[in-house]
Every structure is written in structure tokens, then in C-alpha cells.
Amino acid sequence: MKILIILILSVFLLSGCNNKTIKGEKVYVYNWGEYIDESVLKSFEEDTGIKVIYEQFTQNEDMYMKIKEGGSTYDLIFPSDYMVERLIEEDMIQPINMANIPNIKNIGKEYLNMEYDPEQKYSIPYFWGTVGILYNEKLVDDKVDSWEILWNKKYAHKIIMMDSTRDSIGIALIKNGFSMNSRNLKELEIAKKDLIKQKPIVRAYLVDEMKGQMVNNEAALAPAYSGDAMDAMSENPDLKYVVPKEGTNLWFDAMAIPKNAKNVKNAEKFINYILEPKNAAKIAEYIGYSSPNTEAVKLLDEEIQNSQVAYPDLSTLGKLEIFKNPRDINSVYSEIWAEVKAADF
């Protein structure tokens, strides 16, 4: 009889487990391409029993439109600084219950309460970095210290530009002596014309694919996020990275929860999990970007900790600007980029 009872209980418990598996806890994550170590997704699933449904985007504006159009089921998104500001203003993301994110203590204070989320209510920093020029010293015989070199016809069809509205317009603005956050229509017009003028010598407008072409010596020059530069330089010793003398963008990518998220607690568990120093360090090692998780940074190789590409002394880099939401002229930025992409020669 005792054995029979044990068997009945076992069947009941297994049945319960199966029901739990069938019912399934999930979290829908929408992140940039190649922006996480997938082994961390797997370990999260194993440790929590929560299944991760993971999708990727290539630029903030694509992610924004998908959320804005509705119908998306994402519980966690990874917008950049200016996009966090926009999503807050348009009531598209919700305050995060920080009591459920105790690992936020691992984020350095210098990376919190930035202008795009001054009260640190809606977002948690994921990575940060600069935008500079990645170049191949075997293919470029001019000094690389200015954005001007991306307009040098000598390197025609060896130049890759970012397929990114804010980044490419920002580069054209600062090259011409303007703020990367300019809202001045005359300045924006100059930036647009400069980008169109540059287009005949541009090999391609790329984001993630840029690294492969630079590593394979197919291109000589490209604007690059510092993390991508680190990754590419590790594969090709002829590649170098420089922050131009005119200045550049200091950027932050963050984690945020959309207003219509259905699995908020699972999103919070996911955030807290990847803020564990060992997990944050594993992701930072994998993608090569600069982590705001100061406890995780302590776990990285000393060479990376001391890298002036990954963790530069910001006081030595000159003018650095964090992108702001262009608010009512977002359409102007979109129109400029559309005209640049459509320009024909």
C-alpha cells in the first residue's frame, strides 16, 4: 500500500510539473543584434524555469515603430539614451519596481540618474561607450583624427557609414562644428547635404555587418561603437580605433519595460539576473562593450579593464555629447535620413 501511495504521489507531482511546463512562464525580450551571450539566456531559463522568447532589432527607430504600432508582446526592450527619453515622454514604458532589482547596487553611481532618466525610474543601464572611427592602418596612410577622413575621395568605396539615423546625422553635424543634438534646421540641412555629398564614396550603410567587412580588410574606414571596435580589433591587429578631435557621442543602452508588457515580474527577474556580476561579466566579455556594472568589470581581464577603447579616461576625449530626444523634429531627422538613403547618382 505504501508503494502504491508513493507511486500515486509521484504521478501527481510529475503531472503538476508537466502542467507547469505546459502553462509555461515566459519573458519576451527585444534587443539589439549580437548584443548578449546566448549562454546567459540558456542559464536564465535553467535557473528560473522562465522561457526567453528573444528577438533582435538593428536601430532604435525600428524598435520604436514596432512598439508604437502596437500588437507587440515584448516585456523587455533595450533602447538607447535618447530613445528612453522619448519613450518616457510618450508614456510607452513603465516605472520599474527597483525593489525587485536588488542587483542594481552593482551599477556604478556615475552611470545612474543620467539626463535621459534623471530619477532612474524607467530604465537600467546595460552598456555604454563612445562612437569613433575604426580604421585599417594598412589601408589608410593619412592621419586619422577627424571625421573629415570619412569624406576623403581617396578612400572611395572603402568607407562604411552607419545605417543609423541619429549616428550618421550626428557625425555630419559635429564634423561641421555643430552639436550632435542640433535642432537648428539650417544646420540639419548642411548635415544632410554633406551626407548626400559623401554617398558616392560610401561602400555601404551597415550596422552589425560592418565588423565582418573591416575584419576581412574589405573596407578601410568606418564609424564604430567602441564595443564593436574592440571586437573587430581582437580579430584583426591592423585595425585601430580613434575618437575624432571634433568630439563624439557618449552613448548608453538601457533596459526598459514597455507599458503593455504582460510578464512584468519575469522581465524584472531577467534584469536582475543579468545584473549579477558573473552574468554581466560574461556578456561584456562576449560582446566586448563597456559595462556600467562596476562589480562585473572587476571580473574582466586586466587588459580590458585598462583598455582606453573600452574604458577610456573620458576627461581626455574632448567634446562628448549624449543624444537627446529631438522631440517635435523627429520627423525632420527621419526625412533627412530618408533623403540621404534615396539619393541617386
Side-chain angles (χ1 to χ4, degrees):
M1 177 61 75
K2 188 179 287 185
I3 293 174
L4 179 61
I5 291 173
I6 290 172
L7 283 172
I8 292 172
L9 284 173
S10 298
V11 170
F12 175 78
L13 289 171
L14 284 171
S15 174
C17 290
N18 285 336
N19 284 339
K20 184 178 179 182
T21 302
I22 292 169
K23 184 179 179 182
E25 290 288 333
K26 297 178 180 176
V27 61
Y28 291 80
V29 179
Y30 198 29
N31 195 0
W32 296 83
E34 301 181 15
Y35 214 30
I36 201 164
D37 183 337
E38 291 188 7
S39 72
V40 175
L41 301 180
K42 189 172 293 184
S43 63
F44 173 78
E45 290 181 332
E46 292 171 352
D47 292 350
T48 66
I50 299 170
K51 182 173 179 56
V52 180
I53 295 89
Y54 194 82
E55 292 186 29
Q56 302 174 54
F57 58 86
T58 56
Q59 69 164 334
N60 279 291
E61 285 68 22
D62 296 340
M63 178 272 296
Y64 169 83
M65 287 308 298
K66 201 158 184 182
I67 303 292
K68 184 74 173 179
E69 287 170 354
S72 65
T73 55
Y74 304 117
D75 301 308
L76 184 63
I77 56 177
F78 290 68
S80 300
D81 33 47
Y82 74 95
M83 188 55 71
V84 171
E85 185 183 356
R86 182 176 183 178
L87 293 170
I88 293 171
E89 289 176 356
E90 297 185 18
D91 196 28
M92 291 172 63
I93 53 178
Q94 58 182 285
I96 297 173
N97 185 348
M98 297 299 175
N100 294 332
I101 319 287
N103 284 329
I104 195 172
K105 67 184 179 187
N106 299 320
I107 300 290
K109 290 181 180 177
E110 64 270 36
Y111 305 113
L112 297 173
N113 305 107
M114 306 300 285
E115 195 172 346
Y116 60 86
D117 186 8
E119 296 181 45
Q120 208 65 58
K121 287 174 60 179
Y122 295 89
S123 66
I124 292 177
Y126 183 58
F127 279 105
W128 67 276
T130 58
V131 174
I133 299 174
L134 182 67
Y135 68 99
N136 188 318
E137 62 179 356
K138 292 283 180 63
L139 302 177
V140 179
D141 52 18
D142 291 284
K143 184 176 183 180
V144 182
D145 65 350
S146 167
W147 292 113
E148 285 281 355
I149 200 164
L150 298 178
W151 273 255
N152 189 332
K153 294 179 181 177
K154 180 177 175 181
Y155 303 106
H157 312 301
K158 292 288 185 182
I159 297 169
I160 293 173
M161 279 296 283
M162 285 181 165
D163 190 5
S164 165
T165 308
R166 286 307 302 272
D167 288 303
S168 287
I169 295 175
I171 288 169
L173 284 167
I174 200 166
K175 166 183 174 284
N176 284 285
F178 309 132
S179 166
M180 298 182 92
N181 286 302
S182 178
R183 300 167 58 79
N184 182 304
L185 296 181
K186 289 182 179 177
E187 294 174 358
L188 287 166
E189 182 67 16
I190 291 172
K192 182 186 78 176
K193 288 181 177 176
D194 215 12
L195 288 168
I196 291 176
K197 178 184 172 186
Q198 179 204 34
K199 190 172 181 182
I201 64 170
V202 172
R203 176 184 177 82
Y205 296 90
L206 303 174
V207 181
D208 295 331
E209 300 90 344
M210 176 275 296
K211 281 189 292 184
Q213 295 208 11
M214 291 298 293
V215 168
N216 295 327
N217 302 320
E218 295 168 11
L221 294 148
Y225 302 120
S226 49
D228 286 340
M230 283 286 291
D231 192 21
M233 290 162 64
S234 70
E235 296 184 45
N236 184 338
D238 294 331
L239 298 179
K240 307 296 176 188
Y241 177 83
V242 65
V243 172
K245 59 187 178 186
E246 296 93 344
T248 194
N249 169 226
L250 175 66
W251 58 263
F252 292 85
D253 288 334
M255 296 175 276
I257 301 176
K259 196 83 174 184
N260 63 348
K262 292 183 171 56
N263 303 291
V264 173
K265 289 198 178 301
N266 291 346
E268 292 169 345
K269 287 177 183 175
F270 187 88
I271 294 171
N272 198 53
Y273 189 81
I274 63 175
L275 290 185
E276 284 281 353
K278 66 176 183 179
N279 296 328
K282 184 178 284 188
I283 298 170
E285 284 175 350
Y286 181 78
I287 65 173
Y289 277 53
S290 309
S291 175
N293 189 318
T294 50
E295 294 304 308
V297 172
K298 294 174 184 175
L299 302 177
L300 302 177
D301 290 343
E302 283 193 17
E303 184 181 353
I304 295 175
Q305 291 185 44
N306 297 325
S307 166
Q308 284 302 301
V309 176
Y311 296 95
D313 178 354
L314 297 180
S315 66
T316 67
L317 298 185
K319 186 179 179 183
L320 297 172
E321 294 186 80
I322 298 175
F323 281 148
K324 297 176 182 175
N325 178 19
R327 294 187 178 82
D328 54 305
I329 60 166
N330 269 310
S331 60
V332 174
Y333 272 80
S334 298
E335 288 168 10
I336 288 173
W337 191 234
E339 285 188 53
V340 172
K341 296 293 289 291
D344 195 14
F345 295 92

